[in-house]
Amino acid sequence: MSGQRPNILLVTTDQQRYDTLAPYAPSFLRTPHLDLLRHQGVRFDRAYAETPICVPSRVSLLTGQSPFRHGMTANGSSSAVAGRTGTLPARLRDLGYATCAVGKMHFTPERARHGFDEVLLPADYYRAMAESGSPLQPMRHGLGQNELHPGASTVPEAMTLTSWIAEQSVRYIRDRRDPTCPFFLWTSFSKPHPPLDPPEPYASMYLHDEMPAPTSAAWSSGDGCPEAFVRQRQRGGYDLLSPEVVAAARRAYYGLVTHVDYAFGRVLAALQDVDLLRDTTILFTSDHGEFLGDHRCGNKVMFHDVSARVPLLYRPARGDDTVGAGGVSDALVTHTDVAATILAAAGGTVPDDWDGTDLDALARGTAAPRERLLGIAHDRAQDSDAPAEPPVHLALVRDRWKYLWYPEGPSEQLFDLTADPAECDDLARRDPRRGAELRAELVEELERRGSPWTADGTLVRVPPLGDTERERRAAGWPGLHTETYGVDVRH
């Protein structure tokens, strides 16, 4: 395909941990199609969501910009920071690409296209299911979008949203795309995000496998736990789950990961059927991770690796000069790099106001990797009427170190990711010199970005919010599932 522009397939999942990808995954976990992609392309081992929350990550993929630039640091309206022009799909359209998005986009309003030619959403799936006349309907189990309690699908595999997303992607590749131009297809699976409700055979697939025990640490069990972290798990009730429930939740979660992988196999097969697999650049990642009981917590938001670190695979279209198959990169990368890679693969020039670097150039060693990476997250949705809260955290990752600043209190954490990849040993009190060095770097980087969370050369501090455990548990919201399509359920 030398001299021709590749088709481009971006596959994303929702809430998939980095350690569901070999070599970090449990040995029993079945992901043959992700394994194939890993062997054919490059695995980026230090990929992060700069804000480990759904909408900010998707906006970074859409705009090529960091949350520090686009400003979305909690769930909110995508239209508040992105329009119909200047987005990744709009720029690809200007380059002559047909563009299509299938699955969970989390755009607001729901039918916003943000530059895509065509968008097929979960609302379309729910409408089709409701109008089918079938007595079997999805999500009739009552489990919510933020719960770790496991369940099982109320429809068979072929009728699940995961299968529908794969089917619509297959139909686009085989039947609906414009054959006279290259295409960009974003296939966005909504799993393994809760509800943890895999269909058979995935619900039973790992019943007899020993589940990895949740990570536990002195910092997350004692009085030194950051208040923002305590609030996160108390609001969700995650610290009240029994070991048996957590183990069952993990079985269901892994079942959902395998279901998505098998569904992804259908998309790869469709590309093969129309003889486009070789000529398609493929990227795979997730918007963020999931605590899944680690540190007695669930959900995401925090910048610990199980929440903020994501799987990222890049397989270029095969030409005369390819990136080495089976490669591994330890460059610090983010969703902005995914957007930059797609634009560069299409023959575009990465704009000055984008924050990413072409992963292809990083893999080849022709681009310098970033020296440090910053993270930020707010817990409350940005379009909420409730009073604004301070960021849950500010974070800096550099070399082997991760530094976390919690404005509330304040408190801080320091981890040596090389010696302590599970982040069990908080060094903030034992290595104050290192903490002060990284804190100064964080201040410098925030000031360079014009962040309001620095003042007079220091990080902004705020007093404790003062809410009690009883108030937090009462305010907890499990993301109760609505049986009406098109309703924002704040996941």
Side-chain angles (χ1 to χ4, degrees):
M1 60 163 293
S2 179
Q4 297 180 8
R5 291 177 299 166
N7 302 299
I8 302 170
L9 171 65
L10 170 62
V11 178
T12 57
T13 56
D14 197 328
Q15 211 145 312
Q16 184 169 349
R17 292 163 55 121
Y18 80 92
D19 59 2
T20 56
L21 191 68
Y24 305 103
S27 60
F28 58 75
L29 185 59
R30 306 174 198 180
T31 54
H33 305 106
L34 291 180
D35 291 343
L36 173 66
L37 204 62
R38 176 171 55 89
H39 291 308
Q40 291 182 343
V42 180
R43 185 183 83 237
F44 286 84
D45 267 1
R46 303 184 74 197
Y48 283 90
E50 292 167 282
T51 295
I53 304 173
C54 294
V55 176
S57 291
R58 295 169 192 278
V59 170
S60 287
L61 288 167
L62 184 69
T63 66
Q65 295 180 339
S66 160
F68 290 95
R69 190 186 297 269
H70 63 61
M72 184 68 67
T73 57
N75 280 343
S77 172
S78 61
S79 295
V81 296
R84 293 172 57 87
T85 62
T87 63
L88 175 62
R91 292 179 185 276
L92 293 173
R93 182 192 60 216
D94 292 342
L95 291 168
Y97 274 72
T99 61
C100 179
V102 177
K104 180 181 176 181
M105 294 294 112
H106 223 142
F107 296 161
T108 306
E110 186 178 49
R111 290 292 171 184
R113 291 193 177 186
H114 292 309
F116 279 101
D117 297 330
E118 181 181 3
V119 177
L120 294 167
L121 301 170
D124 299 310
Y125 160 78
Y126 286 113
R127 180 183 293 109
M129 290 297 296
E131 294 174 352
S132 70
S134 172
L136 299 177
Q137 292 293 315
M139 305 282 280
R140 294 295 172 91
H141 42 53
L143 290 170
Q145 305 286 335
N146 295 326
E147 294 184 77
L148 280 187
H149 286 84
S153 175
T154 57
V155 295
E157 177 183 4
M159 297 172 68
T160 61
L161 177 57
T162 294
S163 294
W164 181 88
I165 292 170
E167 176 65 20
Q168 297 304 317
S169 299
V170 167
R171 290 183 181 181
Y172 180 80
I173 291 168
R174 288 180 175 167
D175 304 322
R176 291 205 314 272
R177 64 183 173 84
D178 182 346
T180 67
C181 61
F183 69 80
F184 168 56
L185 172 61
W186 183 354
T187 296
S188 180
F189 292 104
S190 62
K191 294 296 186 180
H193 191 298
L196 303 180
D197 57 351
E200 290 294 354
Y202 311 100
S204 301
M205 188 168 282
Y206 301 119
L207 283 179
H208 302 294
D209 292 292
E210 184 175 355
M211 290 297 103
T215 298
S216 181
W219 68 260
S220 59
S221 303
D223 296 335
C225 190
E227 198 67 17
F229 195 97
V230 174
R231 181 179 295 106
Q232 165 84 352
R233 66 187 182 196
Q234 288 181 348
R235 280 182 176 176
Y238 304 117
D239 55 333
L240 303 180
L241 299 177
S242 69
E244 293 78 12
V245 169
V246 172
R250 291 188 166 215
R251 289 188 176 91
Y253 181 86
Y254 291 134
L256 290 170
V257 169
T258 297
H259 185 199
V260 169
D261 179 275
Y262 286 16
F264 173 42
R266 292 194 60 204
V267 182
L268 293 177
L271 289 170
Q272 177 180 266
D273 290 346
V274 296
D275 198 26
L276 291 180
L277 183 58
R278 180 180 179 83
D279 298 336
T280 300
T281 290
I282 304 174
L283 295 103
F284 170 86
T285 191
S286 188
D287 55 353
H288 48 71
E290 156 71 68
F291 273 96
L292 204 59
D294 285 340
H295 302 295
R296 300 167 60 219
C297 199
N299 210 280
K300 56 272 187 179
V301 180
M302 303 297 169
F303 211 77
H304 304 87
D305 269 16
V306 292
S307 168
R309 191 171 159 195
V310 294
L312 177 53
L313 300 171
Y314 165 63
R315 195 220 72 170
R318 299 302 180 190
D320 298 330
D321 180 23
T322 64
V323 172
V328 179
S329 172
D330 63 356
L332 281 171
V333 296
T334 76
H335 293 121
T336 64
D337 301 310
V338 173
T341 303
I342 293 171
L343 187 59
T349 300
V350 178
D352 292 338
D353 64 348
W354 282 27
D355 298 303
T357 300
D358 181 7
L359 295 173
D360 191 274
L362 286 173
R364 296 176 190 274
T366 58
R370 56 172 56 83
E371 295 182 1
R372 56 184 66 86
L373 180 148
L374 268 63
I376 183 173
H378 284 76
D379 185 35
R380 192 179 297 278
Q382 288 175 264
D383 54 3
S384 170
D385 293 331
E389 293 182 359
V392 175
H393 67 253
L394 294 156
L396 182 141
V397 180
R398 191 257 284 164
D399 300 328
R400 63 192 295 170
W401 300 101
K402 180 189 290 185
Y403 175 80
L404 301 178
W405 172 265
Y406 303 87
E408 181 185 1
S411 60
E412 58 189 346
Q413 291 187 295
L414 174 65
F415 298 104
D416 181 341
L417 298 176
T418 300
D420 176 31
E423 297 172 311
C424 290
D425 190 10
D426 182 0
L427 302 174
R429 295 182 181 179
R430 300 209 310 276
D431 194 349
R433 181 190 63 80
R434 179 75 64 181
E437 172 188 322
L438 294 171
R439 190 184 317 119
E441 284 192 36
L442 179 57
V443 169
E444 178 183 348
E445 287 293 324
L446 291 173
E447 288 180 338
R448 186 171 66 84
R449 289 166 167 79
S451 170
W453 289 99
T454 61
D456 300 323
T458 62
L459 294 169
V460 170
R461 305 170 179 228
V462 298
L465 296 182
D467 50 341
T468 65
E469 177 180 344
R470 176 179 293 182
E471 290 170 334
R472 293 170 184 173
R473 296 196 188 280
W477 187 78
L480 298 172
H481 175 68
T482 174
E483 294 178 1
T484 304
Y485 64 81
V487 175
D488 178 13
V489 289
R490 293 188 288 172
H491 46 142

